[in-house]
Amino acid sequence: MGNYSIALVPGDGIGPEVLSLAVDVLDAVGDKYDHVFNYVELIAGGKAIDSTGEPLPAETLEAAKQCDALLLGAVGGPKWDTLPGHLRPERALLGLRSGLGVYANLRPASLFPQLRLACPLKDEVLIAGNSEGKPDFDLLIVRELTGGLYFGERGRSADGNSAFDTETYSKAEIERVLRVGYSAAKLRRKKLCVVDKANVLESSRLWREVSGEIAKEYSDIETSYLYVDNCAMQLIRAPGQFDVIVTSNLFGDILSDEASVLTGSIGMLASASLAGSGCVSGKEPVMGIYEPIHGSAPDIAGKDIANPLAAILSTAMLLRYSIGLEKEAAAVETAVSAVLDQGLRTGDIASRNGASDKEKIVGTIEMGKAVLKVLEEK
Ligand code: NAD
């Protein structure tokens, strides 16, 4: 029996809606496999701005540091959009990431076979580049999370007529995230693609230099390089060619949203942000932030139509990477697959040519409860 402490940041918009179902799932896993999850609910983002005037109160970060992992919904919304940059809800994300040292963001994007008709690509596009000749893809984006453009120096000229953001990377920052990528590739199809803009950016040329050195240590992994513009194109031209993609903070942010559409919806993509390679390389579990990759989706908040599966799949990653419970993680993933087998769909993952007879459109809560039911029954 294990006893674990989990920090919870429900956040804004659909964050609390999807997170409460993810917590129910964790509790069901606890009951089934005899673990206790103790939750510490914390505020960050818009909610924290409203009650304390700042997006990331110091107490939130301190309390999160005492926990085994942090599960986050999403932050942000139009209410706070006009605040100055350093007071915006999204600053809370950056503060949590740097404060907890979670520099490697794992964003798996694969196609559940049940969602084939929710994927906008034709069979021949999916088959292109797929080594098994199947209309399928299974890729992992490893995004550097605590450096680059989102953390570089920024500012405005005195007259306000120009602004700048800087992309800065050290060799050490590049090396450590690459090593997480290689550890993941070893357990997968042994291919790693470094995505950059080395034809223009000096920081990208440093990425190539460092990865050229590191690649020699991983001779069993096939290393390749792509410019980010080409990668954006290849993702919709032949996603099956990719196994692990390692890239910078900005490029990873954008490419993973693109990849999410191929899975059917952004509501399907979970993520883990890790403070080391930990379980990815078969070592001890490490602290991590787990969250769906989507934002607070203010356009659908409060309507019971958000897809909770990305948040629920994030709990599987939490169990796997920050607690080291592989069997329990797999049980959550199997339960998600089972509800898709039952034909249950939130609107965002219905077949693109209209929901088929075998599909039933359900709301956020019904989808979450269906996952729980499978977990409790199996
Ligand atoms: P978004 O991801 O919130 O929404 C983009 C689109 O996807 C919207 O049409 C939305 O309805 C849809 N969508 C998102 N999640 C969904 C789900 N689970 N089920 C069904 N549909 C879903 O991105 P945005 O609109 O660019 O940003 C909204 C707010 O969220 C902004 O304030 C932004 O800064 C913030 N944001 C936060 C995070 C985070 O907390 N990690 C990430 C991205 C954006």
Side-chain angles (χ1 to χ4, degrees):
M1 173 172 162
N3 208 317
Y4 308 100
S5 58
I6 312 291
L8 293 181
V9 177
D12 311 309
I14 63 169
E17 297 174 42
V18 295
L19 205 76
S20 72
L21 294 162
V23 169
D24 289 347
V25 163
L26 269 184
D27 282 336
V29 167
D31 288 346
K32 186 168 176 161
Y33 295 96
D34 210 12
H35 303 298
V36 176
F37 299 108
N38 302 299
Y39 303 106
V40 183
E41 188 157 335
L42 303 169
I43 52 167
K47 209 157 275 166
I49 294 169
D50 287 350
S51 59
T52 70
E54 49 183 339
L56 181 60
E59 306 80 60
T60 293
L61 181 58
E62 282 318 305
K65 282 182 181 168
Q66 309 308 317
C67 294
D68 293 304
L70 189 157
L71 190 58
L72 189 141
V75 299
K79 183 177 175 189
W80 306 281
D81 274 355
T82 51
L83 290 172
H86 68 287
L87 286 179
R88 286 189 53 143
E90 297 77 5
R91 295 300 292 182
L93 298 175
L94 303 186
L96 283 169
R97 289 166 185 170
S98 61
L100 297 174
V102 294
Y103 61 84
N105 181 216
L106 274 56
R107 298 185 158 198
S110 60
L111 186 59
F112 277 94
Q114 303 92 324
L115 297 185
R116 172 66 195 94
L117 295 178
C119 167
L121 300 182
K122 293 178 184 159
D123 268 0
E124 56 261 40
V125 175
L126 291 175
I127 288 167
N130 183 296
S131 57
E132 292 172 20
K134 291 184 183 160
D136 198 8
F137 65 90
D138 174 11
L139 60 94
L140 172 70
I141 296 177
V142 180
R143 166 189 172 196
E144 198 291 324
L145 203 60
T146 54
L149 207 60
Y150 293 6
F151 285 87
E153 204 185 323
R154 72 193 67 198
R156 293 256 176 136
S157 60
D159 64 6
N161 288 336
S162 65
F164 66 96
D165 298 274
T166 31
E167 172 93 345
T168 309
Y169 270 114
S170 68
K171 285 186 172 180
E173 285 173 317
I174 299 167
E175 177 177 340
R176 66 184 183 175
V177 73
L178 277 166
R179 289 198 186 280
V180 174
Y182 276 110
S183 298
K186 264 180 186 287
L187 302 174
R188 296 173 47 97
R189 300 194 307 281
K190 299 193 168 45
K191 285 166 61 175
L192 183 144
C193 181
V194 179
V195 173
D196 59 30
K197 190 67 185 165
N199 50 346
V200 180
L201 301 178
E202 195 55 37
S203 52
S204 285
R205 287 192 272 275
L206 188 65
W207 272 76
R208 288 229 175 174
E209 205 178 295
V210 174
S211 50
E213 283 302 312
I214 305 287
K216 292 179 196 155
E217 294 176 36
Y218 298 91
S219 52
D220 53 332
I221 310 283
E222 180 193 323
T223 303
S224 60
Y225 298 89
L226 267 188
Y227 298 138
V228 64
D229 39 352
N230 189 8
C231 181
M233 183 176 70
Q234 295 299 331
L235 272 174
I236 50 169
R237 205 192 62 84
Q241 69 186 286
F242 294 108
D243 181 13
V244 175
I245 289 173
V246 185
T247 190
S248 66
N249 207 337
L250 174 71
F251 297 158
D253 193 3
I254 298 168
L255 292 174
S256 53
D257 268 32
E258 184 187 358
S260 79
V261 176
L262 308 181
T263 70
S265 164
I266 196 164
M268 292 303 296
L269 245 67
S271 79
S273 305
L274 305 178
S277 62
C279 295
V280 183
S281 58
K283 296 188 188 137
E284 289 298 301
V286 287
M287 175 55 167
I289 300 178
Y290 299 86
E291 56 182 318
I293 78 155
H294 61 71
S296 59
D299 53 331
I300 58 168
K303 297 183 178 165
D304 190 37
I305 55 175
N307 185 344
L309 295 181
I312 289 172
L313 289 167
S314 297
T315 68
M317 297 187 86
L318 182 156
L319 292 163
R320 175 171 293 130
Y321 295 123
S322 277
I323 307 194
L325 298 175
E326 177 55 40
K327 180 174 53 162
E328 288 80 344
V332 173
E333 288 160 348
T334 306
V336 166
S337 184
V339 300
L340 296 177
D341 278 340
Q342 291 167 16
L344 302 187
R345 305 280 187 272
T346 43
D348 57 311
I349 50 171
S351 295
R352 286 184 182 260
N353 46 3
S356 72
D357 297 346
K358 294 195 181 97
E359 290 177 3
K360 180 182 172 212
I361 304 298
V362 295
T364 310
I365 295 172
E366 192 175 342
M367 183 62 109
K369 299 284 177 216
V371 176
L372 275 181
K373 192 156 176 266
V374 174
L375 269 172
E376 285 160 1
E377 282 172 357
K378 277 210 168 177

